[in-house]
Amino acid sequence: MSEKFDVAIIGGGVVGCAVARELSRYQLKVAVLERAADVARGTSGKNSGVVHTGINVPTGSVKAKYNVAGAEMFEEYCDDLDVPFHRCGKLIVALGEAEVPDLDSLMARGVANGVPDLEIIDRATLKEMEPNIEGAAALNVPTAAIACPYTLTIALAESASEAGVEIMLNSPVTGIKGEQGAFELETPNGTVSAGLIVNSAGLFSDKVARMAGIKRWRIWPCRGEYLILDKRAGGLINGMVYPVPPKGGAGLGIHITPTTDGNILLGPSADYTNDSDDVRTTGRIRRQLLKEASEFLPALTPRDVITAYSGMRPKLVTAKEGGFGDFVIEEVPEALGVMNLVGIESPGLTAAPAIAEHVSSWVRERIPAKKNADFIKKWSSVRRT
């Protein structure tokens, strides 16, 4: 049986669910089609939970625009949804004197991107702030924060659902037919009709784009493994500790990140793979992460590790190219009525609120809608003890 919606959002990650909640503010019939048995089962549930300030993204990029805007919105966003948020700050540490000039470059980029309160600190100040961390100097980024990414995604989905959005789980999109105003999305559970499509399929966003006739992009899955430390080691750091980013690397280097639950994360690694579902963990990477983290945190021991997990980045650049591609957030001429959100890797979590506002404006330009009286701004779906 075909169901008719104004908007079909493909993908139940943090960006797709943020778009759903933003659209639920209006009298629109919206569906989220998620391939897995729950939301946040992909990249959105398997990352560091870092609310990035915008210091690591290229000035003038699409990524910088939405990163900085999202970071400004994030604390209120989490407060509205009763999601854990902690502004713990970040230190980007130069391990040796040779890396200290890189801190100046990072600070200049951060200032250009509008990141406030940046300062370069010497070794003595570093040791005052983080007694267990070794380094020659550091860039202090006090506005950096952490949140709980899967709790946020779930809260977004449940809030949207309460306001009338239909969340369709176990519903991968297998084909797209039609045109703007009359799209037909094929799923194993039947056909979904929609006037507009939001392609927020993460690791599969290139495949969804091709279903709609767009052949511009290819996603290269890149696995990142993490180690979780026991809570007894939680006092080893006070805030986030990052290295100077490796030049040409697929990530920002291993970072040491507290979580809102009181654990510490080590990671991620960066390994390209041909399988978007390849989220295994390995002994080789465990040893590598421990070795790299111990250079900054000598007090760390293998006994502190309690488990590991991994997640996938949907990268738009190959391993040979290295580095980062920019976010794709656009409607293209060959598929009008489809908003493509492609290559949304880090800082996608941070950018999600700002991306959602942009997509909502795009939808409402095409389908004018009144405010939804059932929308609840202050929402709590998680009960904590």
Side-chain angles (χ1 to χ4, degrees):
M1 180 180 293
S2 178
E3 295 188 62
K4 175 67 176 179
F5 294 90
D6 294 312
V7 185
I9 301 166
I10 304 174
V14 67
V15 175
C17 290
V19 171
R21 183 174 191 264
E22 194 63 31
L23 291 177
S24 76
R25 295 173 183 267
Y26 303 93
Q27 293 178 19
L28 294 163
K29 192 170 183 185
V30 179
V32 175
L33 285 74
E34 166 55 42
R35 70 190 287 263
D38 204 350
V39 299
R41 293 298 296 272
T43 303
S44 296
K46 299 172 182 177
N47 58 66
S48 308
V50 175
V51 183
H52 290 280
T53 58
I55 197 167
N56 287 305
V57 291
T59 302
S61 63
V62 176
K63 188 177 289 187
K65 174 183 176 180
Y66 290 99
N67 183 166
V68 174
E72 291 176 355
M73 301 166 65
F74 219 90
E75 185 169 8
E76 181 180 356
Y77 207 65
C78 288
D79 182 64
D80 282 348
L81 292 160
D82 191 26
V83 170
F85 174 93
H86 178 44
R87 199 172 295 281
C88 61
K90 175 198 295 184
L91 293 178
I92 302 176
V93 179
L95 193 59
E97 293 293 337
E99 292 182 332
V100 173
D102 293 330
L103 299 179
D104 294 314
S105 300
L106 284 168
M107 182 167 174
R109 179 187 293 172
V111 170
N113 287 346
V115 181
D117 304 325
L118 300 174
E119 63 172 341
I120 294 177
I121 60 174
D122 60 15
R123 185 179 187 280
T125 306
L126 168 61
K127 295 299 284 186
E128 287 178 10
M129 295 178 68
E130 292 286 0
N132 294 313
I133 295 295
E134 294 297 327
L139 176 59
N140 182 20
V141 190
T143 56
I146 54 174
C148 183
Y150 46 88
T151 302
L152 175 60
T153 307
I154 292 167
L156 287 165
E158 293 190 356
S159 171
S161 177
E162 183 71 11
V165 172
E166 186 158 348
I167 310 292
M168 299 181 177
L169 304 175
N170 297 309
S171 297
V173 174
T174 56
I176 298 173
K177 298 177 182 177
E179 59 186 13
Q180 183 171 205
F183 288 112
E184 298 288 332
L185 293 81
E186 299 170 0
T187 81
N189 302 316
T191 301
V192 174
S193 300
L196 299 172
I197 294 173
V198 178
N199 172 12
S200 185
L203 291 157
F204 305 94
S205 55
D206 58 339
K207 296 179 176 62
V208 169
R210 286 196 289 274
M211 291 179 198
I214 308 167
K215 301 178 181 179
R216 299 181 178 217
W217 310 293
R218 178 172 177 181
I219 292 294
W220 302 89
C222 183
R223 185 177 65 243
E225 297 185 40
Y226 292 85
L227 303 181
I228 304 177
L229 304 190
D230 193 286
K231 287 185 179 179
R232 68 169 181 266
L236 289 174
I237 56 172
N238 298 313
M240 290 178 273
V241 178
Y242 276 51
V244 170
K247 293 178 174 62
L252 297 176
I254 179 176
H255 39 271
I256 307 169
T257 308
T259 71
T260 56
D261 292 312
N263 301 89
I264 291 174
L265 299 179
L266 307 181
S269 57
D271 293 294
Y272 279 82
T273 173
N274 293 323
D275 183 357
S276 296
D277 292 314
D278 181 11
V279 289
R280 60 196 165 96
T281 58
T282 64
R284 176 181 66 84
I285 295 298
R286 179 180 186 275
R287 292 187 293 272
Q288 174 188 320
L289 294 177
L290 279 168
K291 178 178 180 296
E292 293 181 11
S294 295
E295 294 177 351
F296 293 92
L297 187 59
L300 179 67
T301 73
R303 293 189 302 275
D304 294 322
V305 179
I306 56 172
T307 191
Y309 70 96
S310 70
M312 287 286 186
R313 305 172 180 89
K315 297 188 75 66
L316 280 169
V317 294
T318 65
K320 184 177 181 180
E321 292 171 303
F324 301 87
D326 202 359
F327 287 171
V328 171
I329 301 176
E330 62 180 301
E331 176 188 32
V332 296
E334 58 266 41
L336 295 176
V338 180
M339 173 57 72
N340 296 284
L341 311 178
V342 183
I344 311 296
E345 55 171 323
S346 180
L349 173 69
T350 311
I355 293 173
E357 281 197 349
H358 171 76
V359 175
S360 175
S361 295
W362 173 81
V363 168
R364 288 180 290 112
E365 285 174 2
R366 288 150 183 79
I367 309 174
K370 296 179 181 179
K371 292 290 185 70
N372 179 9
D374 292 330
F375 177 79
I376 303 171
K377 185 176 187 290
K378 287 283 189 177
W379 171 264
S380 181
S381 59
V382 180
R383 302 290 179 261
R384 301 184 186 88
T385 57

